[in-house]
Amino acid sequence: MLRKFCKENHQNPGLKELLCFAKEAKPRHKFSRSDLATLIRRVQSSFYGLKLVMDGEELTEQETALYDRQIRVWGADAQRRLSKAHILVSGLKGTVAEFCKNIVLAGVGSLTLIDDRPVTEESLSANFLIAPDENVFSGKSLAELCCNSLKDFNPMVRVSVEKGLLPFTFCRRDLSSFGGDFYKKFDVVVVSCCSLTAKKLINEKCRKLSKRVAFYTVDCRDSCGEIFVDLQNFTYSKKKLDETVECQLQYPSFEEAILVPWKSLPKRMSKLYFAMRVVEMFEEAEGRNPGQTSIDDLPKVLKLRKDVLEKHSLNESLIPASLLERLVAGTREFPPVCAIIGGILGQEVIKAISGKGDPFKNFFFFDATDGKGVMEDISSDLISN
């Protein structure tokens, strides 16, 4: 059997060692269990290579060796898809730095960074990709500094910077000013530090493309975090008992989701959803960049909360004043929360690229005060109502 298998697959370079072993073996030679175990370990990576050749794509020998453990977890086909994926990231706060580290280690094809802001004390407190040495970061943007660090994590991933751009809308040139031709170069777009208007515009441009581009927003304030996901019409596979089944999900856009009347949402909806929307509305109305709030703004934010809840015919207890105070005053990120949100976002992007496992649909919230992560589904049936 072993000799026959090798003859059938002798064109695969990765099986040469196994083929030589078979030629040297005597016709009636009996292998012990330890012999077989040793042999399997020596050629295991070759079986991964064989699968990829059958799929019409092949990871290099270097990739197979580097990503060996990952291939064992999610399979060679998923790793092949990751190695061909192109990711765009805008707004390099601490949470996004964690995300970038995770997907670079996972082995995506390329990562493009956007953030021309200079280094500040706040960014040093949460972004571990920036060395706390003024001689190193002086005169360089956040994107350039993060790019240099990420290249060291995995030299096989192409990490680059799109210069001259800021993540905000209230600036001379931001990500939302680009047309569809720019976004179609990517498979995944992740934005942070974006205004309400920018999120809507970028998401809409991604949805208008002929190819499916996964869109994510991520925001971390104080000890709270939010992720929004739009995978459009997404097909994926998952394990169910002893078989693999194919599933399909339909996602609304960011604008469609936040337009759902609050009265239509589930009664146990995360309070963070409503609080984040109020803060976004305040920043938009005041012409502020995301995170440019302080405790002095709290009276105005509370008044806006009252107006919005009256419009939706809801009680003010839906959005606790203490929660709004934390979001408005505590604009800095907590590194432990960055690690949690960035890790979860990385996991979700890998699911979207590989097409394996249940993805989030379509909001995720985390609050360190109770240590709970909650997924909220604002789906098409709610919107149609």
Side-chain angles (χ1 to χ4, degrees):
M1 288 291 291
L2 183 61
R3 194 185 297 276
K4 182 181 177 183
F5 175 80
C6 291
K7 286 181 180 179
E8 289 175 351
N9 298 283
H10 70 280
Q11 294 296 332
N12 189 332
L15 294 176
K16 284 183 179 179
E17 187 174 2
L18 182 57
L19 184 58
C20 292
F21 192 95
K23 286 180 178 178
E24 292 171 4
K26 295 179 181 180
R28 296 186 180 276
H29 180 73
K30 293 182 179 180
F31 295 100
S32 67
R33 286 189 177 183
S34 61
D35 289 336
L36 288 172
T38 302
L39 182 59
I40 288 170
R41 281 197 298 270
R42 289 167 66 186
V43 299
Q44 202 160 30
S45 61
S46 300
F47 286 97
Y48 297 139
L50 174 62
K51 184 183 186 306
L52 290 170
V53 169
M54 291 167 65
D55 289 341
E57 300 284 346
E58 187 171 5
L59 291 172
T60 65
E61 217 172 291
Q62 190 179 2
E63 287 174 320
T64 304
L66 181 61
Y67 305 129
D68 176 68
R69 290 186 179 183
Q70 295 168 194
I71 292 172
R72 295 168 193 262
V73 174
W74 53 56
D77 184 56
Q79 190 62 50
R80 175 181 61 81
R81 294 186 187 188
L82 278 170
S83 68
K84 293 172 63 180
H86 304 292
I87 318 294
L88 174 67
V89 172
S90 175
L92 290 160
K93 295 183 73 177
T95 305
V96 176
E98 287 281 352
F99 161 72
C100 289
K101 178 255 299 180
N102 292 331
I103 60 166
V104 164
L105 290 174
V108 295
S110 72
L111 175 65
T112 302
L113 307 176
I114 291 176
D115 200 329
D116 258 11
R117 291 177 298 170
V119 175
T120 62
E121 185 182 341
E122 181 182 345
S123 56
L124 282 173
S125 68
N127 191 332
F128 69 95
L129 294 175
I130 304 170
D133 184 350
E134 192 171 347
N135 295 324
V136 175
F137 65 71
S138 180
K140 293 184 178 179
S141 68
L142 283 173
E144 289 171 322
L145 291 166
C146 291
C147 178
N148 293 336
S149 298
L150 289 167
K151 285 178 179 177
D152 293 335
F153 277 99
N154 189 348
M156 296 186 71
V157 176
R158 298 184 301 279
V159 186
S160 61
V161 174
E162 189 74 32
K163 295 183 179 181
L165 290 171
L166 293 169
F168 311 125
T169 295
F170 305 114
C171 61
R172 60 189 183 280
R173 190 166 179 247
D174 70 281
L175 183 60
S176 63
S177 63
F178 279 98
D181 288 342
F182 176 77
Y183 292 102
K184 73 180 181 182
K185 297 184 292 186
F186 304 100
D187 302 292
V188 177
V189 173
V190 177
V191 298
S192 181
C193 312
C194 268
S195 69
L196 184 60
T197 298
K199 291 176 185 178
K200 293 177 185 177
L201 285 172
I202 297 167
N203 189 196
E204 192 58 34
K205 288 176 181 180
C206 290
R207 292 178 72 90
K208 286 181 178 178
L209 298 173
S210 56
K211 61 179 277 190
R212 184 180 65 83
V213 176
F215 175 79
Y216 296 82
T217 70
V218 58
D219 198 0
C220 189
R221 299 172 187 241
D222 191 68
S223 56
C224 303
E226 175 191 76
I227 297 172
F228 168 77
V229 185
D230 178 16
L231 302 182
Q232 301 177 37
N233 189 17
F234 184 61
T235 302
Y236 66 100
S237 61
K238 69 174 183 178
K239 290 278 187 181
K240 191 173 183 180
L241 298 177
D242 294 330
E243 60 178 355
T244 301
V245 296
E246 193 172 90
C247 307
Q248 196 166 45
L249 289 174
Q250 185 71 41
Y251 287 75
S253 68
F254 180 73
E255 185 170 15
E256 288 172 332
I258 64 173
L259 282 177
V260 175
W262 289 6
K263 200 87 171 176
S264 305
L265 297 175
K267 290 183 179 180
R268 292 190 176 183
M269 186 82 172
S270 170
K271 295 183 186 299
L272 256 177
Y273 171 77
F274 304 108
M276 294 291 273
R277 302 291 76 78
V278 169
V279 174
E280 276 182 342
M281 292 176 198
F282 174 77
E283 290 172 340
E284 190 88 353
E286 294 285 320
R288 308 271 188 93
N289 287 324
Q292 285 187 343
T293 55
S294 69
I295 191 64
D296 296 334
D297 296 313
L298 187 58
K300 289 184 179 179
V301 174
L302 291 175
K303 183 180 182 306
L304 178 61
R305 174 193 68 166
K306 180 181 178 182
D307 295 341
V308 172
L309 289 173
E310 283 180 357
K311 177 184 173 183
H312 289 278
S313 303
L314 293 168
N315 192 283
E316 288 186 24
S317 62
L318 184 68
I319 311 175
S322 58
L323 178 57
L324 282 175
E325 182 178 347
R326 287 169 57 201
L327 297 179
V328 170
T331 55
R332 287 196 176 193
E333 298 173 292
F334 281 20
V337 177
C338 293
I340 293 169
I341 301 296
I344 290 171
L345 180 59
Q347 173 184 289
E348 289 305 304
V349 168
I350 289 171
K351 287 181 189 177
I353 295 169
S354 65
K356 292 188 175 182
D358 289 302
F360 283 159
K361 183 176 183 288
N362 47 347
F363 280 92
F364 174 80
F365 300 96
F366 177 80
D367 191 340
T369 56
D370 59 15
K372 291 181 180 178
V374 181
M375 183 179 72
E376 300 288 6
D377 180 4
I378 302 180
S379 53
S380 302
D381 56 339
L382 287 175
I383 294 168
S384 60
N385 293 335

